[in-house]
Amino acid sequence: MKVRVRQCAALLLAGTMAAGMLAGCGGDNGGSGKDGETTADGKVKLTALFSKHSLTQDVNDMQWLKELEEKCNVEIEWEQISADWDQKKSAMFASGNIPDLIFKGTADSDYVQYKGLFEDMSPLIEEHAPNIQAMFSDHPEIKQLATTTSGEIYGIPSYKSVWPYSTASMFINKQWLDNLGLEVPTNWDELEQVLLAFKNEDANGNGDTTDEIPMDFNIFNWEYSPKILLGSLGIQLTNNATDGYFAEDGKIKSYFTDDRFKTLLEFLQKLNSEGLISKEAFTQDYSKYQSVARGSGKDAKVGFTWGWESGDRFGNEIKDQYITMKPLAYSADSDYDLKYINDKYYQNYQPNAVAMSANCKNKEAAMKFIDAFYNPEESIQVLWGGMNDTDKGIKKNDDGSYEVLPPADSSLDPGSWKWTKTFADNGPYYIKDGMNITLGEDMRTVTGEKQVYEEYWDKVDPKSNEYPQTFMKYSEEDTNTLAMNQANIINIFEQQTAGWVTGKGDIDKEWGAYVESLNSAGMIQNLEIRQKAYDDYLKSLK
């Protein structure tokens, strides 16, 4: 099996690493101006911005973070943003006035667009960042991910070794199937018949035949959407396929213009015409998408959908009604090679977890503070919560192993609790391979639920049908061209496909004009640029 939760080997030298690698946190107390000055007790003042999850509490209330600042002899003035960061950052970056540190707030394109605004941390890492150096040594591909085509490092990635290789599981309400005497569908035709039964036959058994939502999803271009059904047609999506690109036989393609996507759109249009898709599937935000699936008491509302984990998607009260489904075949006699999305890089490698301002007045202290996050014992607190009585996220056992604790607030599922109490996946961390961690209930559940996809993850060939978009590197000119073209492409794609699925227009008659409009908007140019970057990446594997 390709993916495993690593719980076998103990973390050797964890204690000495925690003591030794954090011992040098403090920096030179020199500097002038507000940032870089020292407090009355000798701490270095730094400013930091954190683009955080909407659930995440005030970081000033995180005990593990207070302790980390204390160890590093710094005092951080935090600015926290949980909404509309992409819009806000443009004005901030254009002004040239940014905090010393930015957590989860930058992209590769920012370093190109705002030259001189961010610090090249390469020399600082060599001098003051033993934890990051260890991560780069263990995983050279992470250093490759962090490094620009001209050799600078502006953003430090995060790495965790324990996440499964697909973000989305495909869920169906097994209790509804049992109530109606139906089998789990294995292809699109069977799915349609099941959805019709969910709609018409009071599947949840509460006497109301109008309160069931047979099929629900978020939006096309995100994790939890019908794009995953493209695997039924032989398209291998990888790493969330955020912008619609995929690799096939070493060629970069876009499913936006692929005839197999047309087949999927026609299927969805038919389902929608039969009243089988949620009316809000194209308009609801993620919080609404999640809340609707929680149902009403023990009355589930949604029959077929996608999500991360059953407890996270449906809540504790009705999660046991659902099972994960194997990938669906296109038809009973389909000869497509069945595939399922593989998000290995998207799940376990996060680029640009933290960046530094070029105007930071005490770069040594700032670098040592960044590096402290990447100490393995600190990293697990970044991801799951602190090892203290306030945060109640992690327990360290006498044998040096670690245990993710259940939520102290029993009303929250483990995933929501984690996002509430710590930086979680939005933080800088290095979860080493082989760390002896007993994961929380949600991660044990999600690993078990996603076992049905392991055989399909194994079909991914790094040199043929895996598109490692996270690792692609582009010149300044190409970066700007891709961004400009993609904005035009997405605008056309979202409007046209949403219209088609909701019954506006004839897909078959209008498909050719739609493809031509995308090609004219820059699709052909984008494919050429991405193909070159992909070919260069493949050469680096040799």
Side-chain angles (χ1 to χ4, degrees):
M1 293 183 182
K2 195 167 185 178
V3 63
R4 281 282 183 264
V5 177
R6 284 84 168 183
Q7 295 178 331
C8 300
L11 175 61
L12 300 177
L13 304 179
T16 56
M17 289 178 71
M21 291 187 177
L22 286 173
C25 267
D28 177 7
N29 288 340
S32 58
K34 181 181 178 182
D35 304 332
E37 285 186 347
T38 57
T39 64
D41 54 359
K43 293 180 180 178
V44 177
K45 292 182 179 180
L46 297 171
T47 56
L49 181 148
F50 179 33
S51 175
K52 67 179 187 178
H53 192 282
S54 58
L55 289 176
T56 305
Q57 67 175 339
D58 187 334
V59 299
N60 293 296
D61 294 332
M62 296 177 184
Q63 183 62 32
W64 69 266
L65 184 58
K66 294 178 184 178
E67 294 173 359
L68 188 62
E69 292 181 28
E70 188 70 29
K71 290 173 185 176
C72 293
N73 199 39
V74 296
E75 181 180 292
I76 309 296
E77 180 183 330
W78 289 97
E79 178 180 359
Q80 303 171 64
I81 296 178
S82 58
D84 303 322
W85 168 239
D86 285 341
Q87 288 73 37
K88 294 172 181 175
K89 78 172 184 179
S90 297
M92 177 186 285
F93 289 0
S95 74
N97 183 21
I98 64 173
D100 296 320
L101 301 174
I102 297 180
F103 290 81
K104 203 59 179 178
T106 57
D108 286 353
S109 56
D110 295 325
Y111 312 137
V112 173
Q113 184 174 357
Y114 302 99
K115 277 191 170 181
L117 189 60
F118 299 96
E119 179 71 13
D120 173 15
M121 291 181 279
S122 299
L124 292 169
I125 291 170
E126 292 180 5
E127 294 181 43
H128 307 298
N131 293 305
I132 295 172
Q133 289 180 52
M135 178 175 70
F136 287 171
S137 178
D138 294 342
H139 290 276
E141 75 276 10
I142 300 178
K143 185 174 183 179
Q144 177 185 1
L145 175 60
T147 306
T148 68
T149 54
S150 52
E152 297 89 7
I153 295 178
Y154 295 112
I156 312 295
S158 293
Y159 172 79
K160 56 182 182 286
S161 58
V162 294
W163 256 234
Y165 284 6
S166 286
T167 304
S169 288
M170 193 158 57
F171 289 107
I172 195 164
N173 192 307
K174 183 64 164 57
Q175 184 170 303
W176 287 13
L177 292 173
D178 293 343
N179 289 348
L180 302 177
L182 300 172
E183 299 294 325
V184 178
T186 62
N187 58 57
W188 290 12
D189 294 331
E190 292 176 0
L191 175 63
E192 180 183 5
Q193 295 308 308
V194 163
L195 296 179
L196 284 167
F198 285 173
K199 176 178 182 289
N200 298 321
E201 300 179 29
D202 187 24
N204 62 15
N206 67 353
D208 184 351
T209 59
T210 65
D211 67 344
E212 288 89 354
I213 300 173
M215 180 181 189
D216 192 22
F217 50 82
N218 199 210
I219 52 176
F220 273 113
N221 210 30
W222 208 50
E223 285 96 333
Y224 308 120
S225 75
K227 73 180 181 187
I228 295 171
L229 291 176
L230 290 169
S232 306
L233 304 171
I235 291 179
Q236 180 62 69
L237 299 181
T238 58
N239 301 302
N240 198 33
T242 306
D243 295 325
Y245 298 98
F246 67 100
E248 192 167 58
D249 299 325
K251 300 297 181 183
I252 303 306
K253 301 179 180 180
S254 171
Y255 71 74
F256 290 3
T257 56
D258 193 290
D259 283 348
R260 288 167 290 183
F261 182 54
K262 173 175 171 281
T263 299
L264 174 58
L265 289 172
E266 290 170 335
F267 177 61
L268 294 174
Q269 186 184 65
K270 183 181 182 186
L271 296 183
N272 191 69
S273 71
E274 296 169 330
L276 304 181
I277 296 175
S278 168
K279 294 179 181 179
E280 298 184 80
F282 288 94
T283 59
Q284 62 191 348
D285 61 16
Y286 183 66
S287 61
K288 180 66 178 294
Y289 176 67
Q290 289 287 83
S291 65
V292 169
R294 300 299 174 104
S296 177
K298 293 188 177 181
D299 290 339
K301 296 293 185 184
V302 174
F304 173 80
T305 187
W306 290 270
W308 167 244
E309 179 264 334
S310 57
D312 173 74
R313 184 74 179 98
F314 307 107
N316 292 330
E317 193 161 10
I318 63 171
K319 68 178 183 180
D320 292 339
Q321 295 185 26
Y322 292 85
I323 61 170
T324 45
M325 296 172 59
K326 286 190 173 183
L328 292 166
Y330 170 58
S331 63
D333 58 353
S334 173
D335 58 1
Y336 287 113
D337 183 18
L338 192 57
K339 296 184 172 64
Y340 197 77
I341 190 167
N342 183 315
D343 298 322
K344 176 178 68 176
Y345 294 132
Y346 177 75
Q347 286 279 69
N348 289 299
Y349 298 77
Q350 297 294 326
N352 302 308
V354 57
M356 184 189 299
S357 168
N359 293 323
C360 176
K361 293 182 172 62
N362 196 321
K363 294 181 175 63
E364 178 182 337
M367 189 73 252
K368 288 181 176 180
F369 180 59
I370 291 173
D371 187 63
F373 282 81
Y374 290 88
N375 169 271
E377 189 162 283
E378 296 297 332
S379 289
I380 60 176
Q381 297 185 89
V382 175
L383 190 55
W384 285 295
M387 289 185 285
N388 57 68
D389 293 335
T390 300
D391 298 326
K392 298 180 180 178
I394 288 283
K395 175 185 176 183
K396 185 175 182 179
N397 299 314
D398 292 340
D399 62 359
S401 64
Y402 302 92
E403 179 182 349
V404 179
L405 298 175
D409 182 349
S410 60
S411 69
L412 293 177
D413 61 88
S416 297
W417 174 254
K418 177 189 75 170
W419 281 106
T420 300
K421 300 300 289 185
T422 190
F423 280 36
D425 300 76
N426 281 353
Y429 50 77
Y430 176 42
I431 309 299
K432 289 170 61 73
D433 297 344
M435 287 189 75
N436 190 355
I437 305 171
T438 300
L439 298 177
E441 179 186 359
D442 62 326
M443 285 305 300
R444 295 195 301 272
T445 300
V446 79
T447 302
E449 288 177 345
K450 294 183 189 294
Q451 284 182 349
V452 297
Y453 307 122
E454 288 185 348
E455 64 178 286
Y456 302 96
W457 297 336
D458 288 337
K459 292 184 178 182
V460 173
D461 181 352
K463 296 185 178 181
S464 175
N465 64 2
E466 179 174 50
Y467 183 46
Q469 185 160 292
T470 304
F471 288 84
M472 298 295 95
K473 302 293 181 181
Y474 304 99
S475 67
E476 178 179 355
E477 180 182 358
D478 285 345
T479 297
N480 292 333
T481 299
L482 288 170
M484 180 178 64
N485 289 344
Q486 195 66 28
N488 296 329
I489 289 167
I490 290 293
N491 184 54
I492 296 169
F493 164 77
E494 289 183 345
Q495 290 189 33
Q496 185 66 75
T497 55
W500 277 335
V501 173
T502 54
K504 301 172 184 176
D506 186 312
I507 298 174
D508 191 54
K509 289 182 179 179
E510 298 171 6
W511 180 256
Y514 157 76
V515 171
E516 180 57 36
S517 68
L518 290 183
N519 288 339
S520 298
M523 178 67 79
I524 294 174
Q525 188 177 28
N526 275 15
L527 288 171
E528 290 172 348
I529 292 171
R530 290 176 180 273
Q531 184 70 54
K532 181 181 182 303
Y534 177 70
D535 291 341
D536 290 341
Y537 171 80
L538 292 182
K539 291 175 184 176
S540 73
L541 299 180
K542 297 178 181 178

